[in-house]
Amino acid sequence: MESIIERIEKEIAAWEPTEGAQEVGTVRATGDGVAEIDGLTNAMLGEMVLFDETFDRSLEEALKDPAPVYGLVLNLEEEAVRVVVLGGAEKVREGMLVRRTKQQLSIPVGESLLGRVVNPLGVPVDGKGPTGAKELRPIERPAYGVIERASVNTPLHTGIKAVDSMIPIGRGQRELIIGDRGTGKTSVAIDAILNQKSEPKEKRPICIYVAIGQKESKTAKLVAELAEKGALEYTIIVTAPASVSASLQFIAPFAGAAIGEFFMDQGKDALVIYDDLSKQATAYRQMSLLLRRPPGREAYPGDIFYLHSRLLERAAKLSDAKGGGSLTALPIIETQEGDVSAYIPTNVISITDGQIYLEADLFNKGQRPAINVGISVSRVGSAAQTKAMKKVSGKIKLELAQLRELEAFMQFSSDLDPETKKRIDTGRRMTAVLSQGRAEPLPFEMEAVVIFAATNGYLDTFEPEQIPEVEARLREFLEREAGGTLAAVKESREIREETERTLREKLDVFLSRTTES
């Protein structure tokens, strides 16, 4: 059965220009990265056009220019075409020739992009020479339909205990990371990339990090960190820093999605991080106002919801008939003063399959990661968890929710009864267990065993303040003396009866040694 995508691609290939249509136009006016063009009566929406200073050469010769200036057709009007210039806007001037390329805006994709830093047009910006990628893919394409998809059922472990136990992410899911500036949103996403190193090479997802409107120094630090920790070899960075035009910031996430789809279509798993879509929305608003499109709420254009929905709908877990690949999306949204009910945050929340909400108050109290358990949710839930994690994490969310309620109650009460104090201590102990430093992701089996120890009372004899030190000693003990148990959990993805018995014996030994010392 022919898919929608195949049918559209056939229609585009069979399309023929209208008789008498113009393939060449001239720039009527230009400014602020937008050009108004006379002619090009047969231009298509989303088509690439080429600005050319020379009038007497062919399109093929013009495309060989060492630094071509491209534009993207976004407005088809009665008397003109409006185009956004994709970098090099200072070279565009009135009277300049504009040639149709008859191609959708496309970028080169391929295995050779691994370990590289490219701009949204696929041009390398890391100083390592050409990428060697040959296959061109349109940055915009329809998302796969329901029939071509499978349900999300395979976990994508982030190495963050709080996420993997309470807000699990599945391969093919769209999970929003949301919070104020400086609450650790990027850290959660980068830990997810670093943790893929613990996965077997054949099952390891290809990671694509899209930096939109970020400082170039921040992206350079991130690349250096990934290289130092050995994660750059399976990662591709797409960067559209704050210094580039709004048009490049607008197309950057679509470029990341196109690269991810290349790997998904090969039957592989890919993870794409959009950091962040608030800045893309701002860039799109700027472009739309310059294109004279009518402003809507908060001056955003009317199709701002469609902008993000058509991007995030491309995340999918494909059916076996389609190769079984997946594309997982972790979009990031920045809030102002924790306002998750603002326009762009609510838009993206309604498109995604859950959100990880990072709260500034928790961050300022020293909780890392600063996840608000009450608002954070995964709509895929335990379908994206292993049996081991399901078994150990059942009680956690309830205990933390009770802690938040009782802490609010404590503000009005000076003395507490023993039962309430016990519940509060249990909640604080669990909060301490789930606390984790930046760039310290844990392998899945270690997460499961540590949480097993916490939920089965093996850490109840310690004060909440002692937990970080005790947990570090527990992990060291398990690596040294329970390697076989950890390997059994890793291989089977569950804690079977025999494994649990051995694990309890080891934890008893650890407890007796620790209390003695």
Side-chain angles (χ1 to χ4, degrees):
M1 184 173 148
E2 188 178 57
S3 72
I4 295 172
I5 295 174
E6 288 165 344
R7 194 165 72 245
I8 289 171
E9 284 172 349
K10 274 186 187 175
E11 284 173 9
I12 290 171
W15 174 84
E16 290 182 6
T18 310
E19 194 175 341
Q22 291 174 295
E23 307 299 319
V24 177
T26 53
V27 177
R28 179 197 292 177
T30 180
D32 297 314
V34 172
E36 192 176 331
I37 298 164
D38 275 331
L40 297 188
T41 50
N42 216 40
M44 294 188 295
L45 195 68
E47 182 182 355
M48 267 201 305
V49 294
L50 180 69
F51 293 92
D52 191 5
E53 295 185 66
T54 313
F55 284 78
D56 58 352
R57 61 178 178 174
S58 66
L59 175 64
E60 288 71 25
E61 290 172 320
L63 288 169
K64 290 175 185 172
D65 195 302
V69 180
Y70 289 108
L72 178 64
V73 178
L74 284 183
N75 272 28
L76 302 176
E77 299 168 7
E78 280 188 46
E79 296 181 359
V81 169
R82 285 187 197 269
V83 168
V84 291
V85 185
L86 302 171
E90 68 284 349
K91 296 179 186 176
V92 178
R93 60 182 187 277
E94 287 180 36
M96 200 173 186
L97 202 69
V98 185
R99 301 173 183 276
R100 287 191 60 208
T101 63
K102 302 179 187 175
Q103 292 177 358
Q104 271 185 284
L105 181 57
S106 303
I107 61 161
V109 296
E111 301 272 354
S112 58
L113 288 176
L114 292 170
R116 301 301 301 272
V117 184
V118 297
N119 73 8
L121 298 174
V123 178
V125 292
D126 53 6
K128 296 180 183 175
T131 60
K134 300 292 182 195
E135 184 180 333
L136 283 175
R137 283 214 169 207
I139 64 162
E140 290 250 30
R141 60 176 274 188
Y144 281 102
V146 175
I147 303 301
E148 295 154 324
R149 297 177 182 235
S151 58
V152 174
N153 55 19
T154 310
L156 184 127
H157 291 123
T158 62
I160 302 168
K161 289 171 285 185
V163 173
D164 293 341
S165 60
M166 295 184 291
I167 319 148
I169 299 171
R171 298 191 183 197
Q173 191 175 344
R174 302 154 299 175
E175 183 79 10
L176 173 63
I177 302 171
I178 186 169
D180 282 5
R181 184 184 180 89
T183 49
K185 302 184 297 297
T186 301
S187 297
V188 170
I190 296 308
D191 281 359
I193 292 178
L194 294 174
N195 190 59
Q196 303 317 311
K197 195 169 170 60
S198 64
E199 292 285 336
K201 201 165 184 179
E202 64 279 0
K203 293 182 181 177
R204 184 184 296 161
I206 302 299
C207 301
I208 300 121
Y209 176 81
V210 185
I212 311 154
Q214 307 290 340
K215 287 192 287 190
E216 290 179 75
S217 58
K218 179 185 173 183
T219 307
K221 273 184 194 170
L222 189 142
V223 173
E225 183 183 1
L226 292 175
E228 183 191 337
K229 297 190 184 301
L232 195 59
E233 64 187 42
Y234 55 84
T235 306
I236 300 162
I237 314 286
V238 179
T239 178
S243 57
V244 304
S245 65
S247 55
L248 287 176
Q249 292 181 44
F250 153 64
I251 66 168
F254 294 100
I259 294 169
E261 282 175 337
F262 167 78
F263 294 101
M264 174 173 71
D265 289 343
Q266 289 184 335
K268 297 179 181 177
D269 295 313
L271 164 68
V272 61
I273 293 154
Y274 305 116
D275 190 6
D276 67 56
L277 292 187
S278 308
K279 292 187 176 70
Q280 189 214 14
T282 304
Y284 189 57
R285 172 169 62 186
Q286 180 184 328
M287 276 172 38
S288 296
L289 292 172
L290 290 168
L291 288 163
R292 310 274 178 91
R293 293 181 177 180
R297 179 175 162 186
E298 292 180 28
Y300 286 104
D303 64 343
I304 192 74
F305 180 91
Y306 179 53
L307 171 78
H308 288 150
S309 67
R310 72 179 190 262
L311 169 70
L312 294 169
E313 284 295 334
R314 288 163 74 174
K317 172 83 169 76
L318 295 184
S319 63
D320 290 339
K322 281 284 175 184
S326 73
L327 179 63
T328 309
L330 295 183
I332 295 175
I333 287 285
E334 187 178 297
T335 53
Q336 307 292 327
E337 295 292 321
D339 184 11
V340 292
S341 62
Y343 186 33
I344 300 301
T346 48
N347 276 357
V348 183
I349 285 170
S350 66
I351 296 163
T352 50
D353 309 309
Q355 67 273 348
I356 297 167
Y357 177 54
L358 300 168
E359 195 175 308
D361 288 347
L362 295 175
F363 187 87
N364 294 334
K365 283 180 188 173
Q367 187 174 319
R368 301 289 188 277
I371 295 174
N372 180 324
V373 180
I375 300 179
S376 300
V377 64
S378 169
R379 295 189 186 99
V380 172
S382 58
Q385 276 183 314
T386 58
K387 287 183 180 177
M389 195 59 82
K390 270 188 220 175
K391 182 172 185 174
V392 301
S393 64
K395 297 185 253 178
I396 297 178
K397 212 160 186 182
L398 178 63
E399 285 178 359
L400 293 182
Q402 284 178 337
L403 171 67
R404 287 179 73 87
E405 269 187 39
L406 291 170
E407 277 187 329
F409 171 73
M410 275 169 62
Q411 295 172 5
F412 308 102
S413 176
S414 53
D415 51 331
L416 300 168
D417 62 274
E419 180 62 27
T420 305
K421 188 176 185 307
K422 185 183 175 186
R423 280 192 177 181
I424 287 171
D425 282 346
T426 302
R428 284 180 174 163
R429 211 174 281 115
M430 190 56 69
T431 301
V433 167
L434 295 178
S435 291
Q436 201 165 336
R438 186 186 167 281
E440 294 176 5
L442 293 179
F444 146 73
E445 63 276 9
M446 184 62 81
E447 288 182 311
V449 170
V450 167
I451 293 170
F452 177 88
T455 52
N456 284 277
Y458 288 97
L459 304 180
D460 287 0
T461 53
F462 305 102
E463 292 299 316
E465 298 76 31
Q466 297 175 289
I467 293 297
E469 185 192 340
V470 172
E471 190 205 327
R473 288 164 68 181
L474 171 62
R475 294 208 309 263
E476 193 182 309
F477 169 82
L478 290 167
E479 283 174 355
R480 190 177 63 246
E481 300 193 24
T485 308
L486 290 171
V489 174
K490 183 177 182 177
E491 191 178 335
S492 66
R493 301 265 159 163
E494 57 181 308
I495 300 175
R496 293 176 176 151
E497 278 186 38
E498 190 181 328
T499 308
E500 185 177 339
R501 198 162 48 247
T502 312
L503 181 56
R504 286 184 182 276
E505 287 169 8
K506 296 288 184 187
L507 290 172
D508 286 333
V509 171
F510 170 77
L511 200 57
S512 62
R513 285 185 194 173
T514 310
T515 46
E516 282 169 17
S517 61

